[in-house]
Amino acid sequence: MMRSLQSIPRSWLYVILIVLLAWPLIKPIGIKLDISDETRRCYEAIESLEPGSVVVFGFDYSAGNKAEMEPQALAVLRHLLRRNVKVIGLAFVEQGPILGEQAFQKTGWTEKQYGVDYINLGYRAGGQGTVAAFANDIPGTFNTDISGKPSTSFPIMEGIKTAADIDLIVTIAPGTPGPEDYVRQVFSSYQTPLVCGVPAVAITQVAPYVQAKQIKGILGGSPAAAQYELLIEQPGDAVAAMDAQSLAHLLIVAVIILRNIGYLAEKKASNNTANPSGRGTHS
Amino acid sequence: MKSTVPVVITAVIGIVMILDFFLPVQSVNNMASLLQSWGIVISAFAMGLGAVNLLRRHTGIIAKGEKSMLYSLLLVGSMILTIIVGLFFGTGSKLYDFLFTNILSAASRTLYASIAFYILSAAYRAFVAKNLDGWILLLTGVVIMLGTAPIGAVISKFFPAASQWIQDIPNTAGMRAIMMGAALGVVSSAVKTFLGYDKSYLGQGE
């Protein structure tokens, strides 16, 4: 029995996982969701923006990370829409512009006036070096919008020269270029406030910058997106996925415990077999 | 001469970029901006070069009729299709959006989602407390997993609090040490490059 706990067939585990992921998506359980301090800090950074403020929104994620990153982007964009601020969308990841377009559409930004209330400046290659160039010269680095029209021909770009002219930068980035590059190349020179969304596994990497007050707040993975959706009172995909994530985490913890029970029991049994009298083996 | 000129160019460009960060001198700032623009152009060309190389490599595989020919055919076909649609219909067109959403995005999301199965299998196999280190890793993993999912707070408020503590104190201390070490490494590497001791970027020595 104990031996079998050490060798549960992989296929069984996979079937249990599929059932646990699918069941709450079909029939939500409604596990209570607490708002973390980190998510609240991001919310407050955006809540404190004055109407008409200019926000740069970095769509620095790709289709592969969309499932985890897009709910964060959508929740923050919905909040920005409500704050009546201006949004300059851009990307340092090649798939960013098209995902940005989709995000603008899904959140209702496309009902606002393009070029006046929001704009999509597309993608620029070059990684961290381009982030530095962007900080020093925004219209020079992003000289056209996604459709190829000169960026300076749009009213939203009036008076925008460097990162000092931006009230807040939001970047949704699972890797590089990402929050660390913005801290090094933008915050260190211009002290522009920065809020970022990262996958759950990257929280540890970015957390030191939050403690150093170089980043105002981080959204970590789907739980943060779900919490943000609750804060703006617009529950969406992330809230719906939280029950499934909770059950999946529980399953992982359960299999770890079962495996270790099996291991410890077998170890004890083998010790007893090697030394049936229970006496020490020292000579 | 063959290696001296590139080293001098690298050193001058590197020093201009460093001065730009510390000196509010217009001429230096302008020079740095110009160099950054060149960097963006070079990066864009590098992407194009990458695409050409990829195409050459896989058309070669198709021409030779190698075993993996089918995958190469698929890659080249989808690459050409995307380029044609992007060039003739535009990246904002419905057709381009259709290809992106229904092929690339769908395939990428499927691959990403499959990680859940690997994590479950890996956790089952790797998290075995064979010694003290194993116990620490196991307990930390369990606390973080329960602390980051809403179910953790339902079981006990200990899990989110402990998870936050692990992130704020031991993790941040460790990450700061890594960052400082990496930063010092970058500085030392830059000095070696500027002085011409490290020419590995030119494909010479170490």
Side-chain angles (χ1 to χ4, degrees), chain A residues 5 8 34 38 68 249 260, chain B residues 112 124 127 129 145 157 167:
Chain A
L5 288 181
I8 302 172
D34 289 337
E38 280 165 359
E68 195 172 11
H249 280 214
N260 280 280
Chain B
Y112 190 69
Y124 178 65
F127 279 110
M145 250 182 291
K157 293 286 177 199
Q167 184 187 297

Side-chain angles (χ1 to χ4, degrees), chain A residues 6 101 129 143 150 185 187-188 217 220 229 234 246 253 259 262:
Chain A
Q6 289 229 74
E101 280 294 291
N143 52 354
Q185 304 298 343
F187 184 85
S188 60
E229 286 176 356
Q234 284 180 281
S246 282
V253 171
R259 173 77 201 265

Side-chain angles (χ1 to χ4, degrees), chain B residues 107-129:
Chain B
S108 305
R109 291 172 84 167
T110 307
L111 276 176
Y112 190 69
S114 67
I115 293 172
F117 297 94
Y118 286 109
I119 290 174
L120 177 64
S121 178
Y124 178 65
R125 270 155 237 288
F127 279 110
V128 184

Side-chain angles (χ1 to χ4, degrees), chain B residues 28-133:
Chain B
V28 176
N29 301 152
N30 290 344
M31 183 71 182
S33 287
L34 183 70
L35 291 172
Q36 281 169 344
S37 311
W38 289 0
I40 297 169
V41 174
I42 292 167
S43 300
F45 269 103
M47 284 188 77
L49 193 66
V52 171
N53 273 339
L54 197 71
L55 211 57
R56 276 186 59 189
R57 167 93 182 103
H58 287 274
T59 45
I61 290 173
I62 296 164
K64 284 178 196 161
E66 286 181 24
K67 253 185 186 175
S68 58
M69 193 180 115
L70 192 66
Y71 301 113
S72 298
L73 213 57
L74 205 61
L75 185 140
V76 172
S78 49
M79 198 171 167
I80 291 171
L81 178 70
T82 313
I83 291 171
I84 289 172
V85 171
L87 283 177
F88 294 101
F89 296 89
T91 52
S93 68
K94 279 189 177 172
L95 186 56
Y96 193 88
D97 194 57
F98 177 85
L99 289 177
F100 182 84
T101 307
N102 296 292
I103 299 176
L104 181 69
S105 184
S108 305
R109 291 172 84 167
T110 307
L111 276 176
Y112 190 69
S114 67
I115 293 172
F117 297 94
Y118 286 109
I119 290 174
L120 177 64
S121 178
Y124 178 65
R125 270 155 237 288
F127 279 110
V128 184
K130 290 183 177 170
N131 49 36
L132 181 64
D133 293 356

Side-chain angles (χ1 to χ4, degrees), chain A residues 2 39 74 97 109 125-126 150 158 205 211 213 215 223 258 275 279:
Chain A
M2 288 302 173
T39 308
L74 299 184
W109 271 95
E158 274 172 26
Q205 211 173 323
Q211 284 196 2
K213 297 191 171 39
I215 294 177
L258 287 177
N275 187 10
R279 272 185 252 151

Side-chain angles (χ1 to χ4, degrees), chain A residues 22-99:
Chain A
W23 174 42
L25 290 175
I26 297 163
K27 199 174 177 193
I29 307 166
I31 296 170
K32 192 175 164 275
L33 200 58
D34 289 337
I35 312 290
S36 72
D37 292 342
E38 280 165 359
T39 308
R40 205 174 286 280
R41 274 196 289 269
C42 291
Y43 175 83
E44 280 162 7
I46 289 167
E47 195 64 20
S48 65
L49 290 169
E50 295 291 330
S53 301
V54 180
V55 176
V56 161
F57 201 108
F59 296 99
D60 299 317
Y61 58 98
S62 55
N65 332 100
K66 195 178 169 190
E68 195 172 11
M69 309 312 294
E70 193 182 52
Q72 294 179 357
L74 299 184
V76 175
L77 276 175
R78 285 192 178 108
H79 192 196
L80 289 169
L81 185 68
R82 197 193 288 177
R83 294 301 304 156
N84 210 16
V85 296
K86 295 176 190 297
V87 171
I88 299 173
L90 47 83
F92 295 105
V93 169
E94 62 276 11
Q95 291 174 22
I98 193 164
L99 292 168

